[in-house]
Amino acid sequence: MPWLFLAPALLLFLYFKFIPMAEGIRLSLYKVQPFLGDIFIGMDNYASVLDDSAFQDSAVHTLVLAFGQTFGSMIVGFFLALLLEGQAKSLWFVRSAVFLPVVAATAVIGEIWRVLYFPDPNGFVNQVLSWVGLGPSQFIDSPNTALVSVMFVGIWKSAPYDMVLILAGLASIPREQYEACALDGTNLFQRLWYVTLPALRPVVTILLTLAAIRGLRVFTEVYVLTGGGPAGATSVWMTTVFSRGFEKNDIGVASAASVMLFLVTFVLTVIVQIWRRAREAR
């Protein structure tokens, strides 16, 4: 009976996810020639990916972006959770408002930030910076600031999601621990360091795993904001895959790059899970 109820969802996953995944793995071993017949070339597509300077540069950008967004969103989400923790009835409205970027469409967010990042001194963000004596900046129009600007948008979108999970972790900490620390004369920083952070370790592990995978697979915000430019300064793995597959029609190499990304995220997930279980077994 359980399998009967699961069957509709499993069929959808099979047709729209697992069969395309298997087809992508198959195409990664072929030189794809539409209407002419595919030619089996083995691992040559994978070798082409590793030797391609465009993929090498995009791999560096992806790692920098994933690292910055992962830890930036966790830090911002942690402080948001501390600010919005509590039982006050009015907090539900503030939490809902803060959480809106998570549920908003990424393409819409990208278009909004394209307007906010308008490089003219009269642009919104440049005007805000001028109030504190900074700017103007070219933001996504300059190779020097484009990647950081995209990273900031990713942090802005992901931090509320991290906040919700951290709030759940904070709610599970017994209040008696804070009261005991207060009786011992500890200050706020000591309570955070010795009580809050150790209790949030399982939540942090989950967040690191999800955020790292999300960061490695980043595509939409980069594509909408910059398209990988200017001058390739924000090209990430997925934008390079898109370019090779749909603009240059090199389906085999694009499929090989996608399979490599899947393997990296899979290995990363397994390593984190093994590390987490080893820590829990101690």
Side-chain angles (χ1 to χ4, degrees), residues 205 208-209 212-213 263-279:
T205 302
L208 280 175
T209 306
I213 293 174
L263 293 176
V264 169
T265 54
F266 177 77
V267 171
L268 176 64
T269 304
V270 171
I271 291 174
V272 172
Q273 291 301 319
I274 292 175
W275 175 78
R276 180 180 63 85
R277 292 177 181 175
R279 290 292 297 260

Side-chain angles (χ1 to χ4, degrees), residues 15 18 24 30 51 66 72 83 87 92 103 149 174 177 192 194 203 212 215 219 223 240 268 272 279:
Y15 187 77
F18 297 119
Y30 286 80
D51 292 337
L83 290 173
Q87 303 298 326
W92 72 268
V103 297
S149 300
Q177 295 186 15
L192 289 176
Y194 292 107
V203 177
F219 171 74
Y223 186 75
T240 308
L268 176 64
V272 172
R279 290 292 297 260

Side-chain angles (χ1 to χ4, degrees), residues 8 14 22 34 36 44 60 63 88 92 94 116 120 125 140 144 187 218 222 234 236 273:
L14 178 66
L36 297 176
D44 288 356
V60 175
L63 291 175
W92 72 268
V94 181
L116 296 178
D120 189 83
V125 178
I140 57 176
N144 297 323
N187 56 37
V218 63
V222 177
T234 60
V236 292
Q273 291 301 319

Side-chain angles (χ1 to χ4, degrees), residues 13 23 42 45-46 49 60 68 73 78 106 119 121 128 131 145 149 152-153 177 186 205 216 222 227-228 253 256 269:
F13 274 112
E23 182 66 9
N45 285 329
Y46 293 90
V49 172
V60 175
S73 61
F78 177 72
T106 306
V128 173
W131 297 344
T145 57
S149 300
F152 181 83
V153 176
Q177 295 186 15
T186 57
T205 302
L216 291 175
V222 177
V253 172
T269 304

